[in-house]
Amino acid sequence: AFMSTSPWKNLIPKRKYRERRQLTGRQHLGILEKKQDYKRRAEDYHKKEKTMEKLREKALNKNPDEFYHGMINAKMVKGEHRIKGVKAADDSKKNLKLLDITRMVQKKKAEKLQANLHLLDIEKTNTHTFFVQSKQQIKRKIKDLEKQKQEKEERKDEINAKIAFEKFGGDLHQFEEFYNQIQKEKKKQYHALATTIHRERTLGKMTGALEMDQKLKSKGKKRKIVDKDTGKSHYEWFTERKR
């Protein structure tokens, strides 16, 4: 009976494939080039060589007396082909798109930082209004507020001492080092968040200015309106009936 030899072929020991490494004396030249690297490099070289050959052939076969009427209105300006009467491509739209993308990136970055920090350590601004009738009442109120602040700090110290006792076995020095490190990292993160928010707002203003500039260049009757209180100006376009 015929038996398949496929299971037996795995039992025969095979020589392990090893890549040739760069010689010690040639280490400064970098990694040793393999066949696939050489092949890619050779293909690229031959492709460029063929392109140069075609261009050389075109230059040799060019008629020096060749003339087209389009040549009258066409010329090269700073390496760019320009045609008389045709406006150059406006880059403001490209810039606007790029600014918008960059602004969105900064916005997402700010949101991510904000989600990680949760803004836990930022103290809420006191919006409580006190009504007083004399200077003595003002002084008394300031004293009361200072006392409340001191009590809050003392309570905070008590909580910190309790955490130190539980986590670090009462070693306050070790706890202080840990706490300072956390505060330093938080400060760094908040600074990064503030910078990102500022950058995003600046980019938003730039985008708005570019959009307004494009609108002003467009056709249509408009009027400038200046706000007397703020001094800021904006434009209003008149509605035109389309034929």
Side-chain angles (χ1 to χ4, degrees), residues 17 53 77 173 234:
Y17 175 74
E53 191 96 21
V77 180
H173 179 71
H234 67 277

Side-chain angles (χ1 to χ4, degrees), residues 86-130:
V86 179
K87 285 184 179 179
D90 189 19
D91 292 334
S92 58
K93 283 183 182 178
K94 287 180 185 176
N95 293 341
L96 187 65
K97 200 175 181 182
L98 185 69
L99 272 172
D100 203 38
I101 291 161
T102 316
R103 190 174 66 84
M104 287 306 292
V105 167
Q106 292 297 325
K107 197 179 178 182
K108 281 181 180 178
K109 191 181 175 184
E111 281 171 6
K112 197 177 178 182
L113 281 164
Q114 212 162 346
N116 290 338
L117 290 164
H118 297 295
L119 304 169
L120 293 170
D121 289 344
I122 292 174
E123 287 183 14
K124 289 178 182 177
T125 50
N126 191 6
T127 54
H128 192 91
T129 310
F130 297 103

Side-chain angles (χ1 to χ4, degrees), residues 58-174:
K58 271 187 179 181
L60 285 166
N61 296 331
K62 190 186 175 185
N63 181 11
D65 302 321
E66 192 175 357
F67 175 77
Y68 300 103
H69 288 284
M71 290 177 181
I72 298 164
N73 297 324
K75 60 177 180 178
M76 292 292 280
V77 180
K78 292 178 182 178
E80 195 181 336
H81 185 260
R82 294 270 180 92
I83 300 162
K84 198 177 177 181
V86 179
K87 285 184 179 179
D90 189 19
D91 292 334
S92 58
K93 283 183 182 178
K94 287 180 185 176
N95 293 341
L96 187 65
K97 200 175 181 182
L98 185 69
L99 272 172
D100 203 38
I101 291 161
T102 316
R103 190 174 66 84
M104 287 306 292
V105 167
Q106 292 297 325
K107 197 179 178 182
K108 281 181 180 178
K109 191 181 175 184
E111 281 171 6
K112 197 177 178 182
L113 281 164
Q114 212 162 346
N116 290 338
L117 290 164
H118 297 295
L119 304 169
L120 293 170
D121 289 344
I122 292 174
E123 287 183 14
K124 289 178 182 177
T125 50
N126 191 6
T127 54
H128 192 91
T129 310
F130 297 103
F131 296 95
V132 288
Q133 291 176 350
S134 62
K135 285 182 180 179
Q136 286 180 345
Q137 281 185 340
I138 293 165
K139 285 175 183 177
R140 206 180 298 128
K141 188 57 71 179
I142 289 163
K143 279 182 180 178
D144 288 343
L145 287 166
E146 281 176 357
K147 196 179 178 182
Q148 281 177 19
K149 196 179 179 181
Q150 199 175 347
E151 281 174 4
K152 201 186 275 184
E153 281 175 4
E154 282 172 8
R155 218 177 293 126
K156 198 177 179 181
D157 289 337
E158 281 174 20
I159 292 159
N160 289 343
K162 195 178 179 183
I163 293 162
F165 185 78
E166 287 173 3
K167 262 196 172 183
F168 300 96
D171 191 353
L172 282 165
H173 179 71
Q174 199 179 346

Side-chain angles (χ1 to χ4, degrees), residues 48-65:
K48 285 173 183 172
E49 201 175 37
K50 280 174 186 175
T51 310
M52 289 299 290
E53 191 96 21
K54 281 177 184 176
L55 290 167
R56 208 177 284 115
E57 200 178 324
K58 271 187 179 181
L60 285 166
N61 296 331
K62 190 186 175 185
N63 181 11
D65 302 321

Side-chain angles (χ1 to χ4, degrees), residues 6-17:
S6 57
W8 299 100
K9 71 176 182 183
N10 298 325
L11 297 168
I12 301 160
K14 288 178 183 176
R15 196 181 76 174
K16 195 178 179 182
Y17 175 74

Side-chain angles (χ1 to χ4, degrees), residues 1 10 16 18 20 47 54 60 85 101 116 118 137 139 146 163 167 179 182 193 203 222 232 237 239-240 243:
N10 298 325
K16 195 178 179 182
R18 292 176 188 272
R20 268 182 69 199
K47 192 183 177 182
K54 281 177 184 176
L60 285 166
I101 291 161
N116 290 338
H118 297 295
Q137 281 185 340
K139 285 175 183 177
E146 281 176 357
I163 293 162
K167 262 196 172 183
Y179 184 75
I182 287 168
L193 177 63
L203 285 163
K222 55 191 173 288
K232 289 180 179 179
W237 274 260
T239 51
E240 288 181 9
R243 290 176 185 178

Side-chain angles (χ1 to χ4, degrees), residues 1-8:
F2 177 78
M3 283 180 75
S4 177
T5 54
S6 57
W8 299 100

